[in-house]
Amino acid sequence: MPSSVRLLLVGAAIAVLAATLLAGAASGLFLDALWFRQLGAGVVFRTRLVAQLVCFATTFVPTFALVAAVGLLAVRQVRQAGVVRVVFRRTSDGQASLPELVAPLAGRLPWRALVLGGAAVVAALAGIAQAASADTYLLWWYGGAFGATDPVFGRDLGFFVFALPALKGMAGAATAAVVFAAMAAAAVFYLHGALDVRRPDELAAPHLVGTASLLLALYLATRAVGYWLGRYDLLLAPYGAVFGAGYTASAVKLPLQWLLVLASLVGAGLATANVRGRDWRLAVAAVVLVLGAGLLASFLPDAFQRLRVRPDELRLERPYLERNIAMTRRAYGLDRIDSRPFPGTQALDAAAIARNAATFENVRLWDPQPLLDAYRQLQLIRLYYDFHDVDVDRYDLADGRRQVMLAAREINADLLPENARTWVNQRLQFTHGFGAVMSPVTELEGEGLPTFFMQDIPPQSRVGIGLAEPRIYFGEKTTDYVIVNAEAEEFDYPKGDENVTNSYAGADGIALGSRLRRAIFAWHFRDLNLLLSGNLRPESRILFRRTLTQRIGALAPFLRLDRDPYLVVADGRLVWIQDAYTTARTFPYAEPVRGLGINYIRNPVKITVDAYDGTVGFWATDPDEPVLAAYARMFPGIFRPFAEMPAALRPHVRYPEDLFLLQTEMYRTYHMTNPDVFYNKEDLWSFPTDAAGGEMRRAIADPYYVITKLPGEAGEEFILMQPMTPANRSNMVGWIAARSDLEHYGELVVYELPKERLVYGPQQIEARIDQDTVISQQLSLWNQMGSKVIRGNLLVIPVEDSVVYVEPLYLRSTQGQIPELKRVIVAYGDRLAMERTLDAALAAVFRPDAGAPRPEPAAAIAPATPAGASSAGSPAPPASTTARDHYQAALERLRAGDWEGFGRAMDALGKALRE
């Protein structure tokens, strides 16, 4: 095939590919415009689109101009130099080189058009890359001040958070444009056979010297800007004992950074002077100068650190450690933690337990995973429903405030039998979930199953929590688009042997409209059925981006979302609450989070999503937070005051777990504010471990929500807490609480235990449980009788000036799937008890004689009755009759699942047989 035909085919393929990409982009923009307008968030779409176009244009134009100018200059130079004939050479393996392959066309190729086309492609790619960073430039444009300055340069912290990333992005784009221009010139020279390092005489050609010198000057100029900005990076990287600019960075690295700036500027001047030169001397001098400065900057700080700083590190680094500690605490909000002493006394008694009844009525005995397993077995109702997870919240009921756990019953059409799945039932009929399940955290019924505050389909509540609109079109498992108001009726919920149908009456969805619009939807979703199906009408509406992450992520991609949105029943509707964070990566002197890269975080906004109609609300809990304030200026009208949040939702706001985890992780180290203690890590804290799970694996104990009365406070409140232990030790050193009720929302308190008193930590309590002979025997018996014991989370419950430990035990049959809550273990000081209920375990621990040695099970220590006589003194029944009665009783206890009763009956049977 002739080369010209090949080129035409390649060009045609490129044109088809470009048309396809443009069509996809156009359809996406069209649907986005409709979707954002329908949600009332058009300002987000317009602002970000304009910013992306501006970033693209302001990158494309200069990049295209530079690459095209250099490329055309190279074409003109090779032609003026008479280097049009290609030099034929073979590669080392005898194959034809690229210039040789191009040779037949070299004289006929439209080099100017190729250069312009290549420059356009390169500039477009650079523009797309910059458009992807439009949010960074928007933050720079709309960013404000933090009201505090860095300790080295005296700049407001807003410069580091808002301006620095944008300036570095522009400097990087400028450097990339110069590199692309150099590549274009090199390609032109090479394809004309005018660039061959094996021919030194060609390298000295004036056209090569001049063009290369010009590009070198431009490159060094951009690097000078990069080095100048690099001064600020010294505050964003660790060196030695300090995160941020320490002694070496301030005394050596910063002056060397200025040296690099100066060397690059001088080098750019030398290269510029060499543009009209006939040799490489000035250009080589420029390169040597910059490389020499770079080499000095690479080894001198390390030598200085090793020889000067390390021998006297603590003294020299002390002021810089103070900066690191102060700025890191500020970046994560640790400076607002209120530290209070916690006596950790052992003064609780039965009267104290009674005084704190509201706390013990809300101790979480149901762990999320066992409860989720129970929900799935008891409340899914049909195979196409599913529960994603279990959430924790609190509700004010007639009998007081109750902590509850609840889960949304979402639909998952993929759970239908494979041979029953069709496009109609997956897209038009099975469109929504139905209702929720709610349980109190402490109660159980029957043989250890959860008590339900809300259950069944349609949802029924025995505590007066009404649910007028139980349908769930938007949630955590609604991953596919659906179409409502079609010819096919929507499945609503099962009722006996029949199905109830329903039509969507919510506000969400985009009308399919005309055939042309349906064709656009079909193209975008890659689904031809949207165009061909006879079940669709013009008024049919398509609902997409239905998961919370998809929906909120499209509306506010600049916010980082918490991993656990939670469901709330409010005003008869199901509403999701999603915590969102503003973050930064360039907060000076602040140590970043491992694995995330961020070194600043706040939770200034709560997001609500209606599960039925998909309405999204952004509620600013801290409108003065600098990053959120920038976004509010950027997208006016999107963030509304928290006071305007529906009154039924505000009491359900809680402190987010992801933020709390991050803060407690940083507080492990940064509670040490003394630089000497910090340097030596003398008081490093750690998270306790837990034995939760069936295999007794040790794992980091997660924080958990409790309702309790904080020391010195008037009443119980909903808090998120995390016990802490010293590093490499198991006793408890303190606990951190995040307050969630509106009056004190967002306040963090750390309660520090006295260092001179031992207070058991969770791992030590777990060890005591493992070593308790009565408990270990019971667990071994259960595990040997066709069941599996599941150890629940050990909870540390603050009560007045003490802590009580509570751990639930679950039993799951090896043949079944429903875990049952069988026992509750309570520990306090040296006391330990395992009973059927929390009340019974508390009573056993806090009875007056609780400190006495605990007896063995009653069946094992019952006094022997003389043979031939009963305890009442009357003639005893025959031993065979007594043994048979005990055997029958053991069988009855076994059928009932009463393993403790079974054990007592078997002991009595053995005694009777011995007699």
Side-chain angles (χ1 to χ4, degrees), residues 417-757:
E418 190 171 353
N419 58 1
R421 299 178 203 163
T422 66
W423 186 83
V424 171
N425 62 29
Q426 288 185 297
R427 295 288 184 264
L428 309 183
Q429 293 182 318
F430 290 93
T431 57
H432 58 275
F434 205 91
V437 180
M438 181 186 295
S439 301
V441 296
T442 307
E443 297 179 19
L444 64 153
E445 60 185 27
E447 293 298 321
L449 298 178
T451 299
F452 291 107
F453 278 179
M454 182 179 290
Q455 63 183 13
D456 299 337
I457 299 177
Q460 306 293 322
S461 174
R462 66 180 181 85
V463 293
I465 299 178
L467 191 54
E469 183 47 81
R471 297 167 184 85
I472 302 174
Y473 284 86
F474 302 88
E476 295 181 271
K477 301 186 77 70
T478 49
T479 55
D480 295 321
Y481 76 85
V482 296
I483 300 171
V484 296
N485 299 334
E487 293 288 347
E489 294 182 322
E490 293 180 59
F491 165 77
D492 202 25
Y493 62 89
K495 186 176 182 180
D497 295 331
E498 299 180 352
N499 289 334
V500 178
T501 59
N502 179 68
S503 293
Y504 180 71
D508 194 70
I510 299 174
L512 294 182
S514 65
R515 282 280 178 179
L516 176 59
R517 182 179 280 198
R518 287 175 61 178
I520 294 174
F521 282 112
W523 173 272
H524 182 77
F525 289 104
R526 304 295 187 265
D527 191 343
L528 197 58
N529 291 301
L530 287 168
L531 184 61
L532 302 179
S533 176
N535 282 290
L536 305 181
R537 302 177 294 195
E539 60 270 23
S540 299
R541 286 188 284 166
I542 184 169
L543 279 59
F544 59 97
R545 290 175 182 154
R546 297 196 301 140
T547 67
L548 303 180
T549 52
Q550 290 173 342
R551 200 167 189 81
I552 300 172
L555 282 171
F558 41 84
L559 296 176
R560 180 182 290 267
L561 302 183
D562 191 89
R563 291 175 298 175
D564 185 27
Y566 57 100
L567 189 68
V568 172
V569 182
D571 291 332
R573 301 179 72 89
L574 294 172
V575 180
W576 298 96
I577 296 182
Q578 170 75 69
D579 283 285
Y581 308 114
T582 53
T583 61
R585 296 172 178 266
T586 52
F587 200 88
Y589 273 106
E591 183 174 346
V593 182
R594 289 192 301 268
L596 295 179
I598 61 173
N599 68 350
Y600 170 88
I601 188 169
R602 291 291 186 273
N603 172 226
V605 61
K606 307 289 183 180
I607 304 173
T608 57
V609 180
D610 190 285
Y612 179 66
D613 63 21
T615 302
V616 182
F618 294 84
W619 313 99
T621 57
D622 185 6
D624 296 327
E625 193 276 320
V627 180
L628 183 68
Y631 287 132
R633 290 189 291 270
M634 196 182 303
F635 309 116
I638 293 296
F639 299 97
R640 300 166 61 186
F642 181 69
E644 296 180 7
M645 189 180 197
L649 290 176
R650 285 201 302 273
H652 294 280
V653 167
R654 70 186 193 189
Y655 201 87
E657 190 171 347
D658 279 359
L659 175 61
F660 188 67
L661 273 169
L662 189 152
Q663 289 176 314
T664 51
E665 168 66 28
M666 300 306 296
Y667 197 74
R668 292 173 53 242
T669 304
Y670 284 93
H671 73 276
M672 298 179 284
T673 55
N674 184 303
D676 292 20
V677 176
F678 181 90
Y679 176 81
N680 293 301
K681 301 296 186 286
E682 298 175 21
D683 193 21
L684 186 65
W685 288 1
S686 182
F687 295 121
T689 56
D690 193 2
E695 300 179 6
M696 309 296 185
R697 288 192 298 265
R698 298 287 169 180
I700 297 297
D702 293 328
Y704 47 89
Y705 294 96
V706 295
I707 291 179
T708 190
K709 184 189 297 183
L710 293 177
E713 301 295 335
E716 287 77 16
E717 56 185 286
F718 190 62
I719 67 168
L720 178 62
M721 69 167 290
Q722 173 69 68
M724 303 298 288
T725 63
N728 302 318
R729 284 162 47 201
S730 300
N731 61 290
M732 200 162 79
V733 71
W735 53 281
I736 305 175
R739 309 174 75 174
S740 291
D741 289 348
L742 291 178
E743 184 179 358
H744 298 285
Y745 178 79
E747 295 180 9
L748 295 174
V749 185
V750 57
Y751 292 91
E752 297 193 42
L753 291 160
K755 290 180 168 54
E756 65 273 10
R757 179 183 297 125

Side-chain angles (χ1 to χ4, degrees), residues 768-782 832-835 854-858 900:
R768 290 186 55 210
I769 293 173
D770 293 339
Q771 295 162 6
D772 187 278
T773 56
V774 175
I775 295 176
S776 61
Q777 288 175 5
Q778 185 68 70
L779 298 185
S780 298
L781 178 62
W782 277 332
L832 191 69
M834 180 178 73
E835 299 293 342
R854 290 170 47 208
E856 296 295 321
E900 187 174 346

